[in-house]
Amino acid sequence: MEVKNICCIGAGYVGGPTMAVIAQKCPHINVTVVDINEKRIAAWNDKDLSKLPVYEPGLDKVVEEARGRNLFFSTAVDEAIDKADMIFISVNTPTKTYGKGKGMAADLKYIELCARQIARVSKSDKIVVEKSTLPVRTASAIKSILDNTGNGSDVKFQILSNPEFLAEGTAVEDLLAPDRVLVGGDTSTEEGKEAMEALVSVYANWVSRDHILTTNVWSSELSKLTANAFLAQRVSSINALSELCEKTGADVNEVARAIGMDSRIGPKFLKSSVGFGGSCFQKDILNLVYIAKTYGLNEVADYWEQVITMNDHQKRRFAHNIISTLFNTVSGKKIAFLGWAFKKDTNDTRESAAIYVADELLSEQSNVAVYDPKVSEEQIYADVDYLNTRSSEENREGITVYEDAYEACKDAHAIAILTEWDEFKTYDWKKLYDQMQKPAFLFDGRGLLNIEELEEIGFVCYKIGSGKE
Ligand code: UDX
Ligand code: ADP
């Protein structure tokens, strides 16, 4: 079966870039990305490519090439579903904030709504592809909804799992040259195998077939959770050691380098930081923990839960270190944050460590001044408001957002690096120092800057995982 029309429901960080690359690489396939959020769709259609709702290096060029040719962004969800032979579900699956599984399980209400909508609208056979990260066995729930809530027409659905492994900030690169593409489906039937081959053929337009793995649906779903859990575990492991390094005079970067050269360990994901963020790591581990608990596997659940416990500790530890270093009080003191995004080269702030560090400092009545090259003021306030620690008015009193890093740091008692944006390395640090309160403190939560040079200028520095000899 040859795919001619693809519809993707959800024009977010996953759906947008993924479909843009599919459209670029498959000019013979029409790709329509739909979303209920009109503002978002309007931004995807904006002539000014700097206004795309997702910032990713290189994405503007891909969109420019394909948009209007075979890539379309629309709010006409029913129409796009009807026309498509393959439908990607790429809606958000946040951690539940209510009821059973609150704070742990993924909230599948958006997925279910999509499935019901697909069932209601479809008049011809469809291949439905799970793109969002989902708990294991979601495919069977989707299948049950599709098979039982149809509109009366004799439509057949095949469900595939095709988890996305792209990392934000390098989305386009990752999509163009993925380590692997994973396609899970019903390997026991001919129809299942055909559907899998249809999706494999889409990717085979630019990914070599030996990088495309096919498995059964459950393995595919679980592999995604496992990959993220392993990556997050590496970050928590090195962060756990960063605290020990600070006490013992070791340097966590030196330790990471030494162990990373062991080919069995490898050098990646060993960068100690103020804590991992992003929409996936925490959510996926909580999901894994929840599934394990559901099956009564308490030791398995506890094991993975420690990765989150360690990450929460790392964020809190960073904030408390600022407070204790600033003579045990930050009340009324201006603390400048350089960076708010959860990593560089993205405007995404979901679960960013900056939010939690700011929250701790605000509770100590600090004035937090934020500069981030890509994150909007509106987003920063929305992030702290979401924690519900204090009123929205109090958050606005406590946090000021700047469009200029030098203004943000002016008269500050301390600067904290929360995101590893490259531009921070190019700043005139002497100038920043001169306009700060003295002693001028610097807390590098990303191991980004050259601490010796900063100390030479006069800064009192703290770098994660670097012990004083
Ligand atoms: C992750 C997975 O990498 C990707 O495969 C999956 O599809 C989605 O989740 P993402 O969250 O976009 O991607 O970014 P990633 O690069 O994995 O970073 C996650 C967090 O870990 C960031 O906050 C990052 O700063 C932090 N991190 C990463 C570290 O603190 N140290 C490291 O060595 C690596
Ligand atoms: P992700 O990082 O997984 O891509 P995002 O939150 O960035 O998550 O994007 C998910 C998108 O899915 C949002 O833009 C949201 O409006 C959209 N969405 C959620 N439910 C539906 C639905 N039923 N129909 C269409 N779009 C939806």
Side-chain angles (χ1 to χ4, degrees):
M1 175 200 161
E2 201 194 335
V3 177
K4 293 199 184 72
N5 286 296
I6 287 178
C7 159
C8 172
I9 308 180
Y13 283 90
V14 173
T18 311
M19 293 303 128
V21 168
I22 291 184
Q24 186 199 32
K25 293 292 172 189
C26 311
H28 55 287
I29 301 178
N30 270 320
V31 181
T32 308
V33 190
V34 292
D35 203 298
I36 39 178
N37 183 336
E38 289 179 13
K39 217 171 124 198
R40 216 168 210 191
I41 290 297
W44 279 112
N45 282 321
D46 205 308
K47 282 207 176 56
D48 179 354
L49 290 164
S50 70
K51 300 246 171 69
L52 296 183
V54 170
Y55 171 73
E56 279 292 339
L59 180 62
D60 47 354
K61 293 270 174 319
V62 179
V63 171
E64 187 175 32
E65 183 183 329
R67 198 175 59 186
R69 179 187 73 187
N70 65 326
L71 174 65
F72 306 95
F73 294 94
S74 160
T75 50
V77 184
D78 284 4
E79 200 181 302
I81 292 174
D82 182 31
K83 228 175 61 184
D85 20 54
M86 182 175 273
I87 302 166
F88 286 81
I89 302 185
S90 201
V91 301
N92 37 336
T93 50
T95 303
K96 271 185 89 174
T97 53
Y98 56 89
K100 190 160 172 274
K102 177 179 171 185
M104 303 268 282
D107 192 341
L108 297 179
K109 70 175 173 206
Y110 304 107
I111 298 279
E112 176 163 348
L113 282 172
C114 281
R116 288 183 187 276
Q117 194 163 6
I118 295 169
R120 180 170 50 76
V121 172
S122 298
K123 297 197 280 292
S124 56
D125 294 355
K126 313 274 181 209
I127 298 171
V128 176
V129 186
E130 300 175 348
K131 198 64 176 156
S132 318
T133 308
L134 297 167
V136 184
R137 304 207 80 92
T138 306
S140 60
I142 296 181
K143 179 142 182 56
S144 161
I145 292 167
L146 290 173
D147 289 346
N148 293 302
T149 61
N151 53 19
S153 39
D154 185 24
V155 177
K156 298 218 165 32
F157 296 102
Q158 278 297 326
I159 323 290
L160 302 179
S161 157
N162 173 221
E164 188 45 71
F165 294 106
L166 70 81
E168 289 177 28
T170 52
V172 174
E173 235 174 272
D174 295 345
L175 287 162
L176 289 175
D179 284 348
R180 80 309 206 178
V181 169
L182 186 54
V183 175
D186 182 356
T187 43
S188 65
T189 63
E190 273 318 303
E191 293 84 353
K193 284 188 212 154
E194 264 175 42
M196 288 165 81
E197 177 51 31
L199 181 55
V200 169
S201 307
V202 172
Y203 285 106
N205 282 294
W206 77 99
V207 181
S208 77
R209 281 190 177 248
D210 55 358
H211 280 65
I212 307 178
L213 306 180
T214 51
T215 64
N216 76 32
V217 179
W218 327 127
S219 301
S220 171
E221 289 178 332
L222 189 57
S223 299
K224 166 74 183 191
L225 295 187
T226 308
N228 278 343
F230 269 58
L231 291 168
Q233 182 202 42
R234 278 175 75 98
V235 178
S236 272
S237 296
I238 202 72
N239 280 344
L241 285 155
S242 72
E243 192 172 11
L244 191 59
C245 286
E246 287 166 27
K247 297 284 179 233
T248 57
D251 183 318
V252 77
N253 290 322
E254 290 176 356
V255 174
R257 184 149 176 261
I259 64 164
M261 283 170 79
D262 183 327
S263 61
R264 294 167 302 176
I265 296 174
K268 293 183 182 166
F269 272 74
L270 289 180
K271 179 86 189 150
S272 178
S273 68
V274 53
F276 61 74
S279 70
C280 283
F281 281 3
Q282 173 157 321
K283 185 183 76 177
D284 288 356
I285 291 181
L286 288 174
N287 239 314
L288 203 57
V289 170
Y290 185 69
I291 298 166
K293 280 197 176 146
T294 309
Y295 289 109
L297 310 178
N298 292 328
E299 290 77 8
V300 178
D302 291 348
Y303 176 76
W304 287 107
E305 198 159 21
Q306 274 303 311
V307 175
I308 307 273
T309 306
M310 188 62 229
N311 196 47
D312 289 340
H313 171 66
Q314 188 77 346
K315 295 182 271 191
R316 218 174 305 118
R317 183 168 91 76
F318 186 77
H320 290 176
N321 183 36
I322 296 180
I323 298 162
S324 62
T325 309
L326 267 67
F327 317 110
N328 284 318
T329 175
V330 288
S331 175
K333 290 181 182 168
K334 181 177 180 183
I335 315 285
F337 275 29
L338 293 183
W340 188 267
F342 82 96
K343 63 190 272 197
K344 74 171 179 177
D345 291 341
T346 177
N347 60 345
D348 194 348
T349 62
R350 286 176 286 181
E351 291 302 327
S352 180
I355 305 168
Y356 297 91
V357 176
D359 193 52
E360 293 277 341
L361 295 177
L362 288 172
S363 295
E364 294 290 325
Q365 300 177 348
S366 167
N367 298 324
V368 177
V370 183
Y371 166 77
D372 186 288
K374 290 288 174 200
V375 180
S376 70
E377 178 171 336
E378 190 190 352
Q379 185 61 52
I380 291 169
Y381 289 132
D383 288 338
V384 273
D385 285 351
Y386 187 76
L387 296 182
N388 260 327
T389 312
R390 61 193 74 71
S391 72
S392 173
E393 290 71 36
E394 285 169 310
N395 283 332
R396 273 151 193 77
E397 264 168 43
I399 298 186
T400 314
V401 182
Y402 290 82
E403 291 199 358
D404 179 84
Y406 291 85
E407 281 302 312
C409 297
K410 197 167 172 209
D411 296 323
H413 289 258
I415 296 177
I417 309 281
L418 275 306
T419 314
E420 71 284 19
W421 286 101
D422 290 330
E423 67 171 63
F424 300 159
K425 289 190 279 197
T426 66
Y427 286 176
D428 180 346
W429 284 93
K430 174 81 175 73
K431 185 171 160 194
L432 286 167
Y433 174 80
D434 286 342
Q435 53 180 16
M436 285 175 68
Q437 304 275 348
K438 305 296 174 323
F441 293 96
L442 188 129
F443 299 86
D444 187 352
R446 294 290 185 165
L448 181 75
L449 302 170
N450 184 327
I451 297 297
E452 284 77 38
E453 276 174 32
L454 293 169
E455 283 176 343
E456 192 99 321
I457 292 171
F459 279 102
V460 181
C461 295
Y462 162 81
K463 182 175 164 191
I464 288 239
S466 178
K468 296 273 176 261
E469 282 164 44

